[in-house]
Amino acid sequence: MMSYLASKVTAATSTSNGGAAGTHDDDFIEAVVCQESEIGENQMKQVELGEGKVLLVRQNGKLSAIGNKCSHYGAMLVTGALGEGRVRCPWHGACFNVETGDIEDFPGMDSLPCYRVTVGEAGEVKVRAKRTELTTNKRTRVMTKRTAQDDRTYVVIGGGPSGATCAETLRQEGFTGRIVMINKEPCLPYDRVKVSKTMDLNLEKVLLRTQQFYDENDIEVMLGTAVTKLDGATHELTLDNGYKIRYDKAYIATGSNPRRPPIEGASLGNVCVLRTAADAKQVNEQLAPEKRVVILGTSFIGLEAAAYCVNKVAKVTVIGRGAVPLKESFGDAIGQRVMELFEEKGVQFVMNSGIQRCIGAKGTVQQVELTDGTLLDADICIFGIGSTLYTEFLQGSGISLNRNGSINTDQYLESNLEGVYVGGDIANAPVHSNDGQQATIGHYPLAQYHGRVAALNMIGKATPLKAVPFFWTVLFGKSFRYCGYGQPDEVIIDGDLAALKFVAFYIGKGGRVIGMSSCQRDPVVAQFAEYSSQGKVLHKEDLTPNPLGWVPA
C-alpha cells in the first residue's frame, strides 16, 4: 500500500469520492481530526475518526496517519517511542513505518493500515480511511502468487515464528517460485510465548496464520515432518517420511529442544518440559487442587509456569541453582525482588540446589530428591532449565556447526554455504546494538526479525541485520521488559524497586550501557531500543544528573 503524506489542498479537492467536505460513503469515512498547529515536529497524536482512532505523526515536516494500535497485542502506539521513520510499540518492541504502516520489527505478523491525510488552507487536518481498517486496525500486505514460469524452490526448515515470517515475506517481496515450509510439529505456526504463560491455550486461537492463508498465498506447509539430512553439494533435503526436495535456497530456523537433565527418573510420567503447545496441554491437564508441583529452573519459563500453576494446585516449589531467580537477565537486586513477589503469592523456593533424581511408582513421579538429599512430594515435575539447539541433522551437510550447535552467519544471515540462510535460536548472528558482535540469542521477536531479513536477502534485496534484542515477561500482572545484550559489570537502578516501578541500566566495559530493563515505567525500554537501533550509544556518565536525560522530549 502506498504512503499518503499530507499536502496543502483546499477542502473542495480533499473530499471523498467527490462528496462534500466531511462526508463519507459506505466504505470510507473522511473528516477533520485536528488543526495542523496541534501537532509539532517529531510528535505523535492520537485522534478520533468516526467510531475509530488514528495515529497522526509529523516528521520531517510531513504529516502521516496510520493505525493507532500495535497489531501484536493492541498497545496504544501514541505511548510508544517515535524513531526516525517509525514508531515502536511500548510493550514488546514491534516497529511500524510511519508513512506506510508496514511492520519492520517484531513481534506480530500484520502491518498497520495507512490513511490519506490532507491539510486545508485554514490548517484543518483531514483524514480519509476505510471503515473496515479502522475497525480491525490491521493490514496484511499484498502478496504475489506462484507462477509456472518460475521453477525455483525456496525451502523454509522450521515452522516457528521465524520460518512463518520468512515464508510470508518472500511472497510479500515478490518471489514467484515454489515455497515449502517444513514443520516438525503437527500444527501450523503459533504464538509460542503463550506456552508457559497460558497453558490452557486454545491452539486455533493462537495460530499466526490459518491454513487458508497459506493455501491462498501458494505456501506449501508440511506438518509433523522433520528434515533428517541436508546435502549442501546437491542442494537436496531428505525428510523423515522418505520424501526428498531439491532447493535453490533454504532458510533454517529449527529452534531448540527443551533440556532434560541426565538424572534418574527424568522420563517418568508427569515429568514435563515446556516448549510446545502439546507440552502445555500435558501439564495443564494434570493440574488439580490437591496436586504438588515442583519446578526445576528459575528462568522465565520456570517462573511463568510457577505463576500460572500456583492458584490451581496445593503447592508450587521452585528449585534454583543460584541464590536468586533471573540473576543472569536482571541482576541480583531485581532477582531478589522478583523472588519476594512470588513468595508473597504463595510460591516456595529452594535456592542453591538442584534435583538429583525423580522417584516414581507405577511409572509416574511421586517425589524428587534434591542435591542435599531432601525429599519433596511431587505429582508434577517441570524442567525449565534451558534448551539445546536443534541442528543435529545438519552434521555432514557442509554447514559449519559450533560446539553448542549454533551456526555462524554473516550480516545477511547467510551461512558458510552459499544460498543457505540461518535464523532464530540457532543463529550465531551479528547484533547491531552490540557493535555487530555475533551472539546466539533465543528471543521470539528477534527470531521473527531474522525471518524477514533472511527473506529479503534470499530474493536479492541486500539487507544487513540491525538487531536490537528486546524481550519481556509478565509475572503476576507485572510486566518486565529488557533490551540489549551482554554481561554487565554494574547495575544501576532508578526508581522504587520495592514498588516494582523502576528502570535498571546495565553497565558494561568502558562504562557503556549495554542493556536496560524496567517495570511499570513504559515506554523507556522501547525508547532505549529505538535509540540503540539508530546506532547511538549511552554511557554511564550520560545517566547523571538525570538518568533519563537522553530520552527525546
Side-chain angles (χ1 to χ4, degrees):
M1 180 178 289
M2 69 177 290
S3 166
Y4 295 108
L5 299 180
S7 57
K8 291 284 186 179
V9 296
T10 64
T13 60
S14 64
T15 56
S16 170
N17 295 316
T23 63
H24 55 81
D25 58 22
D26 290 341
D27 297 324
F28 292 86
I29 181 169
E30 183 176 32
V32 173
V33 295
C34 69
Q35 289 295 307
E36 187 179 17
S37 59
E38 295 176 34
I39 179 169
E41 177 68 12
N42 282 323
Q43 285 189 355
M44 300 185 289
K45 182 179 179 66
Q46 182 172 280
V47 295
E48 293 187 1
L49 179 61
E51 297 180 356
K53 291 182 172 63
V54 169
L55 183 70
L56 279 180
V57 181
R58 183 193 288 276
Q59 201 165 66
N60 299 319
K62 299 176 181 178
L63 275 175
S64 54
I66 59 176
N68 70 310
K69 293 188 292 186
C70 177
S71 63
H72 181 227
Y73 284 176
M76 293 294 181
L77 292 175
V78 72
T79 64
L82 180 61
E84 185 59 41
R86 66 185 193 176
V87 58
R88 185 181 289 268
C89 171
W91 289 357
H92 307 132
C95 293
F96 302 90
N97 187 292
V98 298
E99 294 186 8
T100 66
D102 288 348
I103 188 167
E104 295 184 349
D105 205 347
F106 301 86
M109 298 299 292
D110 292 303
S111 294
L112 299 178
C114 175
Y115 307 122
R116 187 175 74 184
V117 183
T118 53
V119 180
E121 290 184 347
E124 67 275 18
V125 177
K126 186 177 294 185
V127 177
R128 182 174 187 263
K130 281 187 178 180
R131 291 180 176 277
T132 54
E133 291 185 336
L134 276 175
T135 301
T136 63
N137 203 73
K138 294 182 180 181
R139 174 176 59 86
T140 302
R141 291 183 58 191
V142 175
M143 302 193 192
T144 57
K145 297 286 188 179
R146 183 182 177 187
T147 63
Q149 296 78 20
D150 193 338
D151 60 1
R152 294 173 297 170
T153 297
Y154 285 7
V155 178
V156 176
I157 307 172
S162 191
T165 302
C166 180
E168 190 167 320
T169 304
L170 288 172
R171 283 286 184 248
Q172 291 172 352
E173 298 295 333
F175 179 69
T176 56
R178 182 188 183 196
I179 299 175
V180 184
M181 181 168 62
I182 304 169
N183 187 7
K184 68 175 181 177
E185 283 192 67
C187 53
L188 294 171
Y190 57 92
D191 188 352
R192 194 182 298 278
V193 298
K194 291 185 177 291
V195 165
S196 54
K197 295 180 175 70
T198 314
M199 293 186 213
D200 60 348
L201 59 87
N202 181 326
L203 184 58
E204 292 299 315
K205 291 183 178 180
V206 297
L207 293 180
L208 301 182
R209 298 296 190 198
T210 64
Q211 184 63 54
Q212 181 182 356
F213 174 90
Y214 292 115
D215 292 342
E216 290 176 349
N217 292 291
D218 295 325
I219 297 171
E220 299 175 44
V221 182
M222 302 181 71
L223 302 178
T225 306
V227 176
T228 58
K229 181 181 178 182
L230 183 150
D231 191 326
T234 62
H235 283 213
E236 189 175 70
L237 301 173
T238 302
L239 311 185
D240 61 359
N241 60 8
Y243 191 57
K244 294 182 183 292
I245 301 177
R246 192 185 184 285
Y247 66 88
D248 292 280
K249 291 184 180 179
Y251 177 59
I252 309 173
T254 43
S256 307
N257 291 316
R259 180 180 285 116
R260 286 181 181 264
I263 60 173
E264 179 185 341
S267 59
L268 284 168
N270 291 354
V271 176
C272 311
V273 294
L274 279 173
R275 171 68 181 175
T276 68
D279 296 332
K281 182 179 180 182
Q282 179 190 7
V283 173
N284 191 64
E285 288 178 343
Q286 303 302 319
L287 301 179
E290 73 279 4
K291 296 295 182 69
R292 296 150 300 186
V293 178
V294 174
I295 299 171
L296 177 62
T298 55
S299 64
F300 292 105
I301 296 293
L303 292 186
E304 288 167 359
Y308 177 81
C309 293
V310 69
N311 291 326
K312 300 173 179 63
V313 297
K315 182 179 180 182
V316 174
T317 306
V318 177
I319 314 299
R321 65 180 181 183
V324 298
L326 300 179
K327 176 181 178 179
E328 293 78 9
S329 300
F330 291 149
D332 284 301
I334 297 173
Q336 178 65 40
R337 181 64 187 93
V338 168
M339 187 161 69
E340 292 168 1
L341 170 66
F342 272 67
E343 290 172 335
E344 291 164 8
K345 301 297 184 179
V347 177
Q348 298 183 21
F349 286 86
V350 180
M351 303 304 291
N352 297 307
S353 186
I355 296 177
Q356 65 179 10
R357 67 176 177 137
C358 296
I359 304 168
K362 298 181 180 180
T364 300
V365 67
Q366 290 188 331
Q367 290 182 313
V368 297
E369 181 181 349
L370 304 186
T371 51
D372 65 357
T374 301
L375 295 177
L376 295 179
D377 292 334
D379 302 293
I380 304 166
C381 180
I382 301 171
F383 294 144
I385 53 172
S387 55
T388 58
L389 302 181
Y390 181 55
T391 54
E392 300 94 334
F393 72 97
L394 296 172
Q395 295 285 351
S397 65
I399 296 176
S400 298
L401 298 178
N402 297 321
R403 289 184 63 183
N404 66 350
S406 66
I407 301 168
N408 293 339
T409 78
D410 62 16
Q411 63 177 330
Y412 305 104
L413 286 175
E414 194 168 19
S415 71
N416 63 295
L417 274 186
E418 184 178 355
V420 176
Y421 296 77
V422 178
D425 294 5
I426 66 173
N428 192 45
V431 179
H432 178 68
S433 60
N434 194 32
D435 286 336
Q437 296 182 43
Q438 289 177 303
T440 306
I441 302 173
H443 292 173
Y444 184 96
L446 183 60
Q448 282 197 275
Y449 177 63
H450 280 175
R452 177 176 183 269
V453 170
L456 290 168
N457 288 305
M458 289 168 76
I459 62 172
K461 295 184 178 181
T463 306
L465 276 173
K466 290 190 176 180
V468 179
F470 191 112
F471 69 87
W472 71 93
T473 188
V474 180
L475 303 171
F476 294 111
K478 302 297 184 183
S479 294
F480 296 81
R481 318 200 192 285
Y482 177 92
C483 173
Y485 180 76
Q487 292 297 319
D489 297 324
E490 180 184 3
V491 181
I492 299 173
I493 298 176
D494 176 67
D496 188 343
L497 182 57
L500 288 172
K501 190 172 184 179
F502 66 86
V503 180
F505 304 89
Y506 299 87
I507 314 299
K509 290 183 175 62
R512 175 173 175 164
V513 180
I514 60 173
M516 192 175 297
S517 70
S518 76
C519 185
Q520 299 189 84
R521 290 286 293 271
D522 291 339
V524 65
V525 172
Q527 289 167 328
F528 177 67
E530 200 55 31
Y531 189 92
S532 299
S533 73
Q534 296 171 21
K536 299 176 182 177
V537 177
L538 273 181
H539 288 87
K540 182 178 178 180
E541 55 264 30
D542 298 323
L543 306 180
T544 54
N546 179 6
L548 300 181
W550 53 274
V551 176

